[in-house]
Amino acid sequence: MQLPATLARINKRVTNPIQRRWAPHLAPWAMVEHTGRHSGRRYATPVLAWARDDTLAVVLAYGRDTDWVRNVLAAGGCDITRRGKHFHLVRPRIIPADSPDVVRGARPFASAFSWVLIGTLEPA
């Protein structure tokens, strides 16, 4: 399953600016800071993310072709702020939502969708 693109556009304009206030501090929210592939502009996108040890999982509710996902993959990583701490996410990759590599906390949410972005967290 994938949420509709119309909802993604509404979230981008309406709810994301509000969520940016708490996403870097309140798990399972996190803030993904990435650079545009073409514009070079920095973006901050609130996401639901689960971590275990040094692995972070973000369920891709809008699918694998969203701008922020393509930016992170093209750059080979991004910055993450989660629970008030800053990290670098390296070696990002997309895996099926039913993969055993999905962080345990993300599995109930992932089961409703198709894809999960995972990567390794390194201290910033």
Side-chain angles (χ1 to χ4, degrees):
M1 183 178 100
Q2 179 175 314
L3 295 177
T6 303
L7 183 58
R9 286 190 295 275
I10 291 168
N11 279 341
K12 192 175 193 178
R13 301 283 185 228
V14 178
T15 58
N16 283 4
I18 297 166
Q19 291 171 344
R20 283 187 188 103
R21 295 179 186 209
W22 70 73
H25 309 287
L26 184 65
W29 293 98
M31 187 67 70
V32 174
E33 298 164 23
H34 52 99
T35 303
R37 299 178 309 286
H38 303 293
S39 69
R41 182 178 166 201
R42 289 289 288 170
Y43 295 95
T45 304
V47 298
L48 289 170
W50 291 266
R52 180 156 188 249
D53 299 325
D54 65 346
T55 302
L56 184 85
V58 179
V59 176
L60 301 179
Y62 296 104
R64 58 189 300 167
D65 294 321
T66 60
D67 285 332
W68 78 264
V69 173
R70 294 188 304 180
N71 289 342
V72 168
L73 292 173
C78 63
D79 294 323
I80 297 279
T81 304
R82 185 173 188 275
R83 292 187 171 171
K85 296 178 184 172
H86 302 284
F87 302 93
H88 296 297
L89 183 78
V90 297
R91 295 180 293 284
R93 65 188 194 279
I94 296 173
I95 61 173
D98 60 356
S99 169
D101 293 334
V102 173
V103 171
R104 185 176 307 250
R107 290 178 187 167
F109 191 65
S111 67
F113 298 98
S114 301
W115 304 105
V116 175
L117 182 134
I118 67 166
T120 303
L121 290 174
E122 295 180 344

